Amino acid sequence: MNKLLVITVLVALLALSAESFRVTRQTEEEQGTLSKITDTVKSYYDEAINTASGYLDSIRGLKLEEKAKNLYTDTTTVVSTYAGIVQDQLYHIFYQQQ
């Protein structure tokens, strides 16, 4: 009988202590209007940043920056050549040899 009493007390103590170890259910909190608006704005902002990053990556893939530098270099070379020719012609027009 003593053994039965001891076992009953131990089981009762374990049952009571086990109840304190229960994990409380986490309920989903209702979002207010401001938090919904904030979440929506954040999602649009993230989507815009991702889209812009994608466009930049595709532009870099086309190597447009390198092509623009080459075009600038070629254009300045040609313009400086023709500017020198025009300068020589103007010099000879205004300072003719006498």
Side-chain angles (χ1 to χ4, degrees), residues 28-40:
E28 219 176 277
E29 295 180 19
E30 285 222 15
Q31 290 184 338
T33 306
L34 184 61
S35 62
K36 286 181 182 178
I37 292 172
T38 305
D39 290 342
T40 304

Side-chain angles (χ1 to χ4, degrees), residues 41-61:
V41 169
K42 284 181 183 178
S43 69
Y44 283 136
Y45 177 75
D46 291 339
E47 186 177 336
I49 293 296
N50 290 338
T51 304
S53 296
Y55 287 152
L56 285 175
D57 289 340
S58 67
I59 288 172
R60 285 187 187 130

Side-chain angles (χ1 to χ4, degrees), residues 13 21 28-29 31-32 43 66 69 71 73 75 77-78 83:
L13 287 175
F21 287 117
E28 219 176 277
E29 295 180 19
Q31 290 184 338
S43 69
E66 183 180 333
K69 286 180 183 179
L71 179 65
T73 305
T75 303
T77 303
V78 169

